[in-house]
Amino acid sequence: MADGKNKDDYTVLRSDKRAHLRKQILVIKVRGEDDKGVFFGYGKDISRGGMFITTVNPRKTGEEFDIAFKLAGEGIEVKCRCRVQWLREYDPKIKYEPGMGIQFLNIENEAADKIEEWAKKQ
């Protein structure tokens, strides 16, 4: 792409069904890997210390795995180990997406700084 962004690194979702939210939301594609295999999810609510990953099959609290994702427009790929701090199972009675809150364990300071800068811009 001409602007240096790779469309495979992120997805733009439109929230047309919501009553008040009308702007686009940027979602980071996340790849995780552990002894159970590789899984994919979408990262939201990211901070320098962790993120929420939407997935219908969240890992269990306390589980650790390797994660990789790219910050859209920043040209930086983050790879680190993380731990599941909390999870939300799928429940058709609640409006929130299923997924898990993860904590970055061995993230490099430069990557954490880039995440913090990126999050402030969003």
Side-chain angles (χ1 to χ4, degrees):
M1 297 175 73
D3 61 3
K5 297 178 186 175
N6 182 342
K7 69 178 183 174
D8 293 329
D9 297 337
Y10 62 92
T11 301
V12 177
L13 300 179
R14 289 193 180 89
S15 184
D16 296 332
K17 294 180 181 179
R18 297 187 186 261
H20 301 289
L21 183 59
R22 292 287 184 230
K23 64 184 197 176
Q24 296 177 339
I25 302 169
L26 195 62
V27 179
I28 303 168
K29 288 185 180 180
V30 177
R31 179 184 185 276
E33 187 172 352
D34 62 10
D35 58 348
K36 295 178 184 177
V38 176
F39 72 91
F40 296 91
Y42 292 97
K44 296 183 173 182
D45 300 326
I46 189 170
S47 72
R48 71 180 294 123
M51 77 167 74
F52 176 73
I53 300 174
T54 62
T55 177
V56 293
N57 296 310
R59 300 297 201 244
K60 293 183 176 147
T61 303
E63 284 189 37
E64 293 185 11
F65 55 91
D66 295 318
I67 190 171
F69 59 92
K70 292 182 183 179
L71 294 177
E74 294 297 318
I76 184 168
E77 182 174 4
V78 178
K79 292 181 181 180
C80 66
R81 190 92 176 142
C82 63
R83 177 183 304 119
V84 178
Q85 294 298 105
W86 60 275
L87 60 93
R88 181 170 42 230
E89 300 281 347
Y90 171 75
D91 184 345
K93 297 175 189 168
I94 62 172
K95 65 180 181 176
Y96 299 108
E97 297 172 298
M100 57 190 161
I102 60 152
Q103 176 186 11
F104 301 136
L105 296 178
N106 63 343
I107 192 167
E108 295 179 9
N109 284 334
E110 180 182 354
D113 291 343
K114 289 280 188 186
I115 290 170
E116 187 170 33
E117 290 172 24
W118 185 84
K120 286 179 183 178
K121 292 183 214 173
Q122 303 305 310

